[in-house]
Amino acid sequence: MIDNRNHPVHLSTARIKAMCTRRTGIGADGLILIEPSRHFDFSMNYYNADGLPGSMCGNGGRCAVYFAHATGVPAADQGRYSFEANGNRYEAAVTGKETVRLHMLDPEDFRNAVAVEGFNCHYVNTGSPHAVIYIESRKLEALDVSGHGKAIRLRSDVFPGGTNVNFLEITAPDSISVRTFERGVEDETLACGTGAVAAALMSFRLGKVSSSTVKVKVRSGDTLEVAFSEDLKSVTLTGPAKIIYRGIAEVQNDGL
């Protein structure tokens, strides 16, 4: 996460990938630049770990808001921010200590029961494309998420441009557990915000959960809360956002 408002840096794909590479770089699932916006409190510019521009990152958006709050980015209303990402407007609020609620875009392009790689996949776009796959109770933990996820992610004949892949199980009428293979990271990650939203919305749409507020346990052990209206709109994503360290890295500016 870089405050890029006053001292702009321009990073190449290769440099971003090197920065995100663990052990030889800083190490991250992605890179976010907080930049000026002409119409909103700030602009969020997100790159995947492969160095390429990414689609919306829900948890990244929440972290961007908390980072903006912690570093003193002015907001029109204290603790409440509006920002732009990928040409879309988002609103969010710091609702408590290290907690952020983000208003998501309305979901699009629902698809049901697509057979892919031996799995029954559902699909929805929540700002990023997501396949949703239900796993039998108590089998999620042992599942080869990286192997199966990669095979499905690469099926561009079914999912043009690829997709993120979420494997989940229903744990209660208002809760689910999710493991996600993320496009761009090309591996399982500890949490995916747009994936948590996709899993919660699809589960309600299919009648697998009965509550329009769904607790989503992710791989890190954290629990995110996804809330929405009965018609699957007015979607919010709430969860923790913590600054775990600050540092200085010498990065050569790659120019425009």
Side-chain angles (χ1 to χ4, degrees), residues 9-247:
V9 297
H10 305 281
L11 303 173
S12 67
T13 297
R15 195 169 302 279
I16 293 171
K17 182 177 181 180
M19 292 170 68
C20 290
T21 300
R22 303 183 193 281
R23 298 183 181 175
T24 57
I26 298 169
D29 290 336
L31 180 142
I32 293 175
L33 300 173
I34 300 298
E35 300 183 327
S37 170
R38 297 178 63 181
H39 305 290
F40 307 109
D41 296 316
F42 64 88
S43 177
M44 173 180 125
N45 201 355
Y46 172 71
Y47 295 88
N48 283 314
D50 60 8
L52 297 173
S55 49
M56 181 55 182
C57 177
N59 286 332
R62 292 190 308 96
C63 289
V65 167
Y66 193 76
F67 178 73
H69 174 72
T71 54
V73 175
D77 185 7
Q78 187 174 7
R80 301 182 65 88
Y81 288 87
S82 64
F83 67 95
E84 58 181 318
N86 291 329
N88 295 305
R89 172 179 176 155
Y90 291 87
E91 295 184 354
V94 178
T95 59
K97 180 176 173 56
E98 298 180 330
T99 304
V100 175
R101 176 179 294 119
L102 173 65
H103 291 264
M104 305 292 290
L105 299 179
D106 289 341
E108 297 180 336
D109 195 20
F110 282 101
R111 297 163 60 187
N112 289 346
V114 181
V116 185
E117 299 294 323
F119 290 94
N120 189 29
C121 299
H122 306 275
Y123 176 88
V124 62
N125 192 312
T126 55
S128 292
H130 283 278
V132 176
I133 300 167
Y134 292 92
I135 302 301
E136 292 180 27
S137 179
R138 296 184 177 85
K139 292 188 177 181
L140 182 62
E141 183 64 27
L143 188 72
D144 179 10
V145 168
S146 293
H148 294 309
K150 182 177 182 179
I152 295 168
R153 176 262 187 271
L154 293 175
R155 286 291 302 274
S156 58
D157 59 320
V158 183
F159 306 112
T163 183
N164 301 284
V165 187
N166 305 272
F167 300 90
L168 65 145
E169 65 179 18
I170 307 299
T171 54
D174 65 345
S175 65
I176 59 179
S177 290
V178 180
R179 295 177 64 185
T180 302
F181 181 96
E182 285 201 54
R183 180 184 67 166
V185 178
E186 305 306 331
D187 205 349
E188 182 178 9
T189 58
L190 294 180
C192 176
T194 54
V197 170
L201 290 173
M202 189 62 73
S203 296
F204 185 81
R205 185 172 184 264
L206 297 176
K208 295 180 180 294
V209 297
S210 56
S211 174
S212 58
T213 298
V214 181
K215 297 178 179 65
V216 184
K217 185 177 180 181
V218 294
R219 189 62 170 165
S220 67
D222 289 323
T223 298
L224 305 175
E225 181 183 275
V226 180
F228 44 88
S229 59
E230 296 282 328
D231 60 354
L232 303 180
K233 299 183 184 298
S234 302
V235 182
T236 61
L237 172 67
T238 305
K242 302 177 182 180
I243 297 176
I244 56 174
Y245 64 83
R246 301 173 188 264

